[in-house]
């Protein structure tokens, strides 16, 4: 458990825990898949990598060329990954909530829940982030997914000083602005009673969509309690992500004082040097005009918060974790190695044999 008597001490403790775990993770990253990632993304320190045959003899001495032996190893690893993915994740799973014992019949609610779960899985394409996480596990030894719940609301609808008809018209316009399907939302139009319930329950807004989410998280952005061998044993777990300054400036969920610090143009936007070596320059934003934000889950206390290395305080102060199932991260491991903090990947196994 992280000991702290006030918010300042708690923020310092969270930052120290995150930085310590980050240093340990970087020291244990295997050089085999470090090199594979550079070649796979065709980037090294931001500069492009090309096969030797694409260069003239006078230029082939550059360090950014890929020799035929190295390319052979990459092709071998790629063929293994593609074969395993094709055989293990080529179709959606089928879930059932009916009992396994003969003579018992599932209640109608369980059958409806099974249909809803299967429909949601296919509609949201949950196989795709899982497939990406499995590929991460084959390349880096461990893949990560983050599950949660997403609620989409309309803008706030002004209620004071407006007639009943004006409020209904304003509500219809707000829904149409936020949904391509307009006021129908894929079903019947909202009734006056539904609008009343939404406006009273959600502080003048209308709930448009309420759904589960599943996303792949980069293994380079996940850090957790170094003493834990399993996610469920960790005292804390954290994810870092890049936040565009435009979003930081307007995010109403964050402290106005500290989100203004992130939006300050005097603060230099820097790219994590380790992540830069792994091809970040070819990703969206590429580190430009963005800031790091850390989602920190204190599992011992059952709270979570958000902060940034560039802010002097919490963007979101510690509050109870909103998920009934606890922290939202799960990992997919490859070949277990009890002597190392990171499991072994296909890259580490295949690469030395080339």
């Amino acid at each position: 458990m992280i000991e702290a008597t006030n918010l300042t001490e708690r923020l310092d403790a969270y930052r120290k825990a995150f930085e310590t775990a980050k240093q340990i993770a970087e020291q244990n990253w295997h050089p085999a898949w470090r090199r594979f990632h550079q070649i796979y993304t065709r980037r090294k320190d931001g500069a492009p990598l090309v096969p030797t045959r694409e260069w003239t003899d006078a230029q082939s001495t550059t360090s950014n060329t890929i020799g035929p032996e190295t390319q052979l190893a990459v092709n071998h690893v790629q063929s293994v990954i593609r074969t395993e993915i094709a055989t293990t994740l080529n179709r959606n799973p089928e879930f059932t909530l009916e009992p396994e014992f003969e003579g018992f019949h599932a209640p109608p609610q369980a059958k409806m829940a099974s249909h809803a779960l299967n429909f949601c899985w296919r509609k949201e394409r949950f196989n795709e982030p899982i497939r990406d996480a499995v590929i991460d596990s084959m390349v880096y030894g461990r893949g990560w997914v983050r599950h949660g719940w997403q609620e989409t609301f309309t803008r706030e609808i002004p209620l004071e000083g407006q007639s009943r008809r004006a409020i209904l018209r304003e509500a219809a316009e707000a829904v149409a602005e936020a949904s391509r399907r307009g006021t129908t939302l894929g079903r019947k139009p909202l009734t006056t009673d539904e609008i009343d319930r939404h406006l009273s329950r959600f502080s003048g807004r209308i709930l448009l969509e309420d759904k589960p989410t599943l996303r792949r998280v980069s293994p380079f952005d996940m850090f957790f309690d170094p003493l834990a061998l399993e996610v469920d044993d960790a005292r804390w777990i954290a994810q870092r992500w890049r936040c565009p300054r435009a979003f930081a400036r307007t995010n109403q969920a964050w402290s106005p004082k500290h989100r203004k610090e992130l939006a300050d143009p005097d603060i230099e936007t820097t790219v994590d040097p380790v992540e830069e070596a792994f091809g970040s320059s070819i990703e969206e934003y590429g580190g430009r005009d963005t800031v790091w934000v850390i989602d920190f889950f204190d599992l011992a206390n059952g709270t979570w918060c958000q902060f940034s290395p560039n802010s002097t305080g919490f963007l979101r102060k510690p509050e109870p974790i909103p998920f009934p199932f606890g922290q939202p991260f799960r990992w997919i491991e490859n070949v277990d190695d009890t002597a190392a903090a990171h499991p072994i990947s296909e890259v580490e196994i295949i690469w030395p044999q080339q």
Side-chain angles (χ1 to χ4, degrees):
M1 180 177 294
I2 297 177
E3 300 292 339
T5 58
N6 54 53
L7 287 179
T8 301
E9 291 183 2
R10 188 166 295 276
L11 177 60
D12 292 340
Y14 288 169
R15 279 180 171 159
K16 183 177 180 180
F18 172 80
E19 290 297 332
T20 300
K22 182 171 176 290
Q23 292 174 7
I24 294 175
E26 292 169 358
Q27 292 170 0
N28 286 291
W29 285 342
H30 197 280
W33 52 257
R34 178 189 295 269
R35 177 61 175 159
F36 173 80
H37 185 92
Q38 291 175 346
I39 299 172
Y40 179 72
T41 58
R42 298 291 194 197
R43 285 289 204 224
K44 180 180 180 182
D45 299 330
L49 291 170
V50 295
T52 307
R53 62 181 178 273
E54 297 183 7
W55 291 71
T56 64
D57 292 338
Q59 296 172 315
S60 61
T61 56
T62 176
S63 61
N64 286 343
T65 59
I66 306 174
E69 297 83 5
T70 300
Q71 189 63 52
L72 177 63
V74 174
N75 294 341
H76 192 175
V77 174
Q78 293 280 41
S79 65
V80 171
I81 292 175
R82 284 195 296 266
T83 301
E84 292 193 21
I85 288 297
T87 56
T88 57
L89 288 172
N90 60 345
R91 60 189 301 178
N92 289 314
E94 288 294 328
F95 300 97
T96 178
L97 300 181
E98 297 186 13
E100 297 180 357
F101 302 98
E102 295 184 5
F104 292 87
H105 299 283
Q109 297 92 330
K111 295 182 179 180
M112 287 296 296
S114 301
H115 292 307
L117 180 58
N118 288 309
F119 172 78
C120 181
W121 189 282
R122 292 190 296 269
K123 178 177 180 293
E124 300 300 330
R125 299 180 178 179
F126 285 162
N127 256 25
E128 295 180 5
I130 292 178
R131 184 182 295 114
D132 294 338
V134 171
I135 292 176
D136 286 337
S137 72
M138 293 180 180
V139 176
Y140 312 119
R142 180 174 292 151
W144 290 87
V145 292
R146 176 171 180 169
H147 48 82
W149 201 264
Q150 178 176 314
E151 297 175 331
T152 303
F153 295 91
T154 65
R155 59 172 169 80
E156 190 170 345
I157 300 168
L159 303 178
E160 297 183 2
Q162 294 202 82
S163 65
R164 175 67 179 167
R165 177 174 296 180
I167 292 176
L168 295 178
R169 184 173 59 251
E170 187 80 16
E173 292 176 355
V175 171
E177 292 171 4
S179 173
R180 291 178 298 175
R181 291 170 290 177
T183 56
T184 61
L185 294 179
R187 57 181 181 83
K188 296 180 180 179
L190 291 170
T191 65
T192 56
D193 292 338
E194 286 177 317
I195 291 178
D196 284 338
R197 288 197 299 269
H198 277 254
L199 297 183
S200 60
R201 181 178 178 183
F202 302 116
S203 303
R205 299 176 297 167
I206 295 178
L207 177 64
L208 295 180
E209 193 170 25
D210 198 13
K211 65 178 183 180
T213 60
L214 184 68
R215 298 183 177 93
R216 172 258 182 188
V217 181
S218 169
F220 304 113
D221 293 335
M222 288 302 308
F223 306 93
F224 59 96
D225 182 2
L227 299 180
L229 299 178
E230 298 287 343
V231 176
D232 295 335
D233 297 334
R235 295 169 297 176
W236 63 268
I237 190 169
Q239 175 199 356
R240 66 173 183 180
W241 54 282
R242 277 187 179 153
C243 176
R245 275 192 175 149
F247 177 80
R249 189 180 298 112
T250 58
N251 187 5
Q252 300 296 322
W254 288 348
S255 163
K257 174 183 176 182
H258 300 305
R259 76 168 187 249
K260 184 178 179 181
E261 295 174 350
L262 299 184
D264 189 350
D266 292 335
I267 295 179
E268 293 184 5
T269 302
T270 57
V271 180
D272 184 275
V274 174
E275 196 205 35
E276 182 69 19
F278 282 91
S280 63
S281 58
I282 62 174
E283 296 177 356
E284 185 180 6
Y285 295 106
R288 298 180 297 276
D289 203 28
T290 61
V291 291
W292 286 112
V293 175
I294 300 166
D295 293 355
F296 194 98
F297 290 79
D298 187 343
L299 305 180
N301 288 327
T303 60
W304 84 292
C305 61
Q306 291 178 305
F307 59 88
S308 171
N310 295 328
S311 63
T312 59
F314 285 107
L315 295 172
R316 183 194 298 267
K317 294 181 180 179
E319 58 186 46
I321 296 176
F323 309 115
F325 39 77
Q327 58 89 8
F329 304 104
R330 288 295 179 267
W331 71 36
I332 301 173
E333 283 199 337
N334 206 325
V335 184
D336 188 24
D337 181 10
T338 58
H342 285 245
I344 302 174
S345 69
E346 260 74 0
V347 174
E348 295 177 57
I349 297 173
I350 296 174
W351 198 280
Q353 300 174 5
Q354 304 305 310

